[in-house]
Amino acid sequence: MSNLKLCQGPSCHTYHTQDRLKGPKENKTYQTRRRSSFYYGQSNFCSLNCQNDWFYEYGNKAIDHFGRLTEPKHLTEENAWVKDYDWRSSADDSHRHYFVNKITKEQRPLTEAQYDDSNYTLNTGE
Ligand SMILES: [Zn+2]
């Protein structure tokens, strides 16, 4: 029971579905959904509806808190590196991981560990 998460949707309890109706027989109420995991919003929401409700309620505050874009970003050679890989099906030939620059099309090899490391980048600009 304690491993269950609550959907973070602020209006989750207002949607009338049978699985939200909980409690003792004479005193059932519609309640926020509880699950061991959710599919939406990094496992915080039971549905896209609940995720959208959260954004409608808190989105502006969240963007202002983490920093609102005030100028367009520009894709340049310095920030155009993205990770990719070629999928290999044979067991003795692992997938080939690499960086590719979206502007110059240059490719540079990556180890799988570098590929998995979300902090590892060749980008030097925003
Ligand atoms: Zn929900």
Side-chain angles (χ1 to χ4, degrees):
M1 198 72 180
S2 57
N3 283 340
L4 295 181
K5 302 169 134 190
L6 286 167
C7 171
Q8 296 301 302
S11 303
C12 191
H13 63 291
T14 67
Y15 298 114
H16 289 195
T17 61
Q18 277 308 307
D19 70 300
R20 287 180 171 97
L21 194 56
K22 305 257 179 185
K25 241 187 180 118
E26 301 303 314
N27 199 16
K28 286 187 184 298
T29 56
Y30 288 99
Q31 299 181 16
T32 299
R33 276 182 171 150
R34 276 177 238 241
R35 297 272 192 284
S36 54
S37 70
F38 293 117
Y39 286 115
Y40 302 95
Q42 297 175 331
S43 196
N44 284 301
F45 301 100
C46 74
S47 66
L48 268 184
N49 251 351
C50 281
Q51 181 178 311
N52 289 340
D53 288 345
W54 188 96
F55 198 87
Y56 185 80
E57 184 103 10
Y58 303 113
N60 273 322
K61 288 181 194 169
I63 289 171
D64 286 334
H65 177 78
F66 292 108
R68 183 175 292 273
L69 277 187
T70 56
E71 299 286 333
K73 292 182 172 184
H74 297 263
L75 190 67
T76 64
E77 287 182 32
E78 288 70 39
N79 68 11
W81 293 101
V82 296
K83 294 172 180 177
D84 204 350
Y85 68 91
D86 293 329
W87 193 80
R88 306 281 164 87
S89 58
S90 74
D92 48 40
D93 193 12
S94 62
H95 311 325
R96 192 181 70 90
H97 298 81
Y98 57 92
F99 269 119
V100 58
N101 191 296
K102 293 292 214 179
I103 300 278
T104 64
K105 310 299 181 204
E106 180 188 347
Q107 292 191 13
R108 293 187 193 169
L110 268 177
T111 66
E112 190 166 354
Q114 289 168 331
Y115 180 88
D116 291 337
D117 179 356
S118 60
N119 291 318
Y120 187 76
T121 182
L122 294 179
N123 290 325
T124 55
E126 279 216 12

